[in-house]
Amino acid sequence: MNEVPARSKRRTVGRARLLAGGVVALVTAVASVAMATLAHADLSGPPGTTLKAAAERSGRYFGAAMGGDRLNDSGFLTIANREFDMMTAVNEMKPDATQPNRGQFDFRAGDAIYNWATQRGMKVRGHTLAWHAQQPRFWGSLNGSALRTAMIDHINGVMGHYRGKLYAWDVVNEAFAENGSRRSSNLQSTGNDWIEAAFRAARAADPGVQLCYNDYNIENRTYGKTQGVYHMIKDFKARGVPIDCVGLQTHFTGGSSLPGNFQQTLSSFAALGVDVALTEVDVTNASSSQYQGLTQACMNVPRCVGITTWGVRDSDSWRGNENPLLFDRNSNPKAAYTSVLNALNAASTTVPGTSTPSGSTSPSTPNDPGQPGVCTATYRSAGSWGGGFQGEVTVSNNGSTTLNGWTVRMTLAGGQTIVNVWNGANTGSTGTVSVRNAAYNGSLGANASTSFGFLANGSTSTAPGDISCTSP
Ligand code: 9MR
């Protein structure tokens, strides 16, 4: 890997889906995957005494990376089982591990970690599908369209195996150079659209998993690489390329440290309409203040969904001589552990969609008074934070025949602006906006319902009003 010199040199820097009767069930399933995978938030509960319990208070997770060899390490397993509710395989789900030879997939090592974690109620992040490093040997003799096809085949093979089982996938890893341009690699040489091709294939291969872009040195908002990744995600969102999350590896080690603008970096990514996660955290000598600061920054950003450390004890770290993790070699929690635990317990924002429904519920009147019970739309608040909120609108067919398409109109309060809509397509983002069905949820059988969600900036004191639903 050539990232080590790059990191140490720099200054402190940083869902097409299916048909009629199955549609409602499928859409509901897709929506519930994203929602149900995170803990139910309850900030009024007692402080958590483990990392996972403290994180779950705000609907977040606390994860660790584990290698397959740790499955025989009782010291590791005891802490992992007690403290963490998300696991990432260090190497076992990477391309060289999962497809050693063309068309020959090997999921034994990945499945061993997956099974251990999920049997203990943990969730699993998949890492990773397309990367310049740790590639199958046969990719080395391919280029151009042949390599592109091999990458797509790999995504289909691996995501097919884990379909419906994982919380998220790091679809593409480390594709940017330090200056914000694309990193040169054999994958980049197949054409600049290789990343979006990977994400489109990934969405089709497993429509219910969160699709993430993951990188290091993107923790400082003003840094070139951070800007490069930011603009790619903004462009993907504008063009409808599927992407749900960005993973900031957060290796504050090898000479780097927590930037003062870390929280702004997280919130600027989140404002693009993606979740953010800290995916590979380690900090030189486990500085308590840096661990406290990075955790608090995540807790302050509603869409920062969780934190993962790259290992559990210093003896698990890829940079063990820097002692960068939360537990020492004797499995004792370090001072940084307490800092992180306290910062998790002090969270004041919850992850959208994980709170007990709050805010007003305002059912609409049927759209067409001349025809009894056609479609109705009901709004509920799915969470709010300083300066923004998440709304969910349930669209129901109260009639006895199938509706083919629907449009919801609602009026936002002054200053409220929709920044992202899912399971629907909006026209307008302020004042009276309309949201029509997506390609996959327009057909609503008798008495069936579906829903769409949106994120909005602005005052949270007034719920959208004048909600109505029409159907052709
Ligand atoms: O921790 C992983 C180490 O065991 C491997 O030798 C290395 C090979 O590239 O990858 C390490 O994990 C990396 C992760 O996949 C991506 N971000 C940087 C991590 C640390 O190097």
Side-chain angles (χ1 to χ4, degrees):
M1 291 199 17
N2 55 6
E3 72 197 59
V4 174
R7 184 181 292 114
S8 49
K9 246 186 266 160
R10 80 191 144 80
R11 198 187 79 69
T12 294
V13 269
R15 284 166 207 139
R17 305 142 188 175
L18 319 175
L19 297 172
V23 168
V24 172
L26 180 67
V27 169
T28 306
V30 168
S32 62
V33 166
M35 295 295 196
T37 49
L38 290 175
H40 177 80
D42 182 6
L43 291 178
S44 66
T49 58
T50 60
L51 296 171
K52 64 182 175 189
E56 288 171 6
R57 291 178 85 251
S58 61
R60 295 182 170 90
Y61 66 81
F62 208 95
M66 74 183 283
D69 49 356
R70 296 301 183 269
L71 288 166
N72 299 314
D73 182 333
S74 62
F76 179 97
L77 296 177
T78 299
I79 306 175
N81 193 23
R82 185 182 72 223
E83 299 284 342
F84 300 89
D85 55 7
M86 184 73 76
M87 276 293 145
T88 306
V90 172
N91 290 308
E92 292 74 4
M93 294 191 191
K94 288 174 176 174
D96 59 343
T98 49
Q99 194 184 182
N101 299 297
R102 184 159 214 161
Q104 268 177 24
F105 290 90
D106 185 346
F107 299 112
R108 289 171 296 184
D111 285 354
I113 291 173
Y114 173 86
N115 291 335
W116 183 86
T118 56
Q119 284 161 7
R120 285 154 186 82
M122 303 176 194
K123 297 177 184 73
V124 175
R125 296 189 83 259
H127 174 80
T128 177
L129 296 166
W131 190 21
H132 66 273
Q134 291 182 277
Q135 297 185 349
R137 195 184 297 265
F138 74 91
W139 284 15
S141 58
L142 302 176
N143 55 43
S145 62
L147 178 59
R148 177 72 67 90
T149 300
M151 177 188 83
I152 303 291
D153 289 348
H154 182 78
I155 289 170
N156 286 331
V158 177
M159 290 189 79
H161 178 77
Y162 288 109
R163 186 180 166 109
K165 294 174 143 185
L166 303 186
Y167 170 70
W169 264 112
D170 291 332
V171 178
V172 171
N173 193 42
E174 302 177 359
F176 277 78
E178 298 303 301
N179 68 1
S181 64
R182 293 289 183 84
R183 176 199 286 269
S184 62
S185 73
N186 57 346
L187 291 170
Q188 180 63 28
S189 295
T190 68
N192 205 51
D193 63 345
W194 74 276
I195 299 180
E196 63 187 89
F199 276 87
R200 291 187 199 279
R203 179 67 94 221
D206 186 353
V209 71
Q210 298 282 298
L211 305 180
C212 304
Y213 175 79
N214 190 54
D215 215 329
Y216 62 90
N217 285 357
I218 57 169
E219 292 81 20
N220 185 327
R221 189 181 175 185
T222 63
Y223 190 57
K225 191 172 182 177
T226 314
Q227 290 289 310
V229 173
Y230 178 88
H231 288 296
M232 177 188 73
I233 295 172
K234 188 172 183 187
D235 171 56
F236 279 14
K237 283 290 179 188
R239 292 190 295 112
V241 178
I243 183 166
D244 306 310
C245 37
V246 56
L248 294 86
Q249 294 183 6
T250 321
H251 291 294
F252 295 139
T253 185
S256 72
S257 57
L258 176 68
N261 61 10
F262 188 53
Q263 183 178 322
Q264 288 172 282
T265 307
L266 299 179
S267 53
S268 68
F269 277 125
L272 295 176
V274 287
D275 285 351
V276 296
L278 315 188
T279 53
E280 303 182 15
V281 177
D282 45 27
V283 180
T284 307
N285 295 325
S287 152
S288 289
S289 62
Q290 290 189 57
Y291 264 112
Q292 191 277 338
L294 70 90
T295 305
Q296 186 179 329
C298 179
M299 297 306 108
N300 287 347
V301 175
R303 291 196 77 168
C304 186
V305 293
I307 299 174
T308 294
T309 56
W310 204 244
V312 170
R313 307 157 304 183
D314 290 332
S315 48
D316 305 316
S317 176
W318 65 306
R319 284 174 165 172
N321 57 359
E322 294 180 52
N323 300 319
L325 294 173
L326 298 177
F327 293 85
D328 69 20
R329 283 156 214 278
N330 297 318
S331 296
N332 296 314
K334 295 155 66 170
Y337 171 93
T338 308
S339 306
V340 170
L341 190 68
N342 291 341
L344 294 171
N345 278 319
S348 59
T349 75
T350 58
V351 172
T354 63
S355 306
T356 303
S358 61
S360 63
T361 291
S362 42
S364 65
T365 49
N367 62 298
D368 183 348
Q371 293 180 31
V374 192
C375 68
T376 55
T378 307
Y379 170 82
R380 78 172 182 92
S381 167
S384 64
W385 51 93
F389 62 98
Q390 178 177 333
E392 183 184 278
V393 177
T394 301
V395 182
S396 302
N397 175 8
N398 302 313
S400 54
T401 57
T402 297
L403 293 180
N404 291 306
W406 46 261
T407 300
V408 170
R409 283 186 186 73
M410 59 189 175
T411 302
L412 300 171
Q416 294 178 339
T417 306
I418 289 184
V419 292
N420 188 32
V421 176
W422 55 98
N423 296 338
N426 61 312
T427 302
S429 54
T430 58
T432 299
V433 301
S434 61
V435 179
R436 65 166 206 286
N437 57 277
Y440 49 85
N441 64 355
S443 177
L444 273 187
N447 297 314
S449 59
T450 186
S451 65
F452 68 85
F454 64 90
L455 282 179
N457 289 332
S459 163
T460 60
S461 55
T462 313
D466 291 326
I467 301 180
S468 66
C469 178
T470 56
S471 180

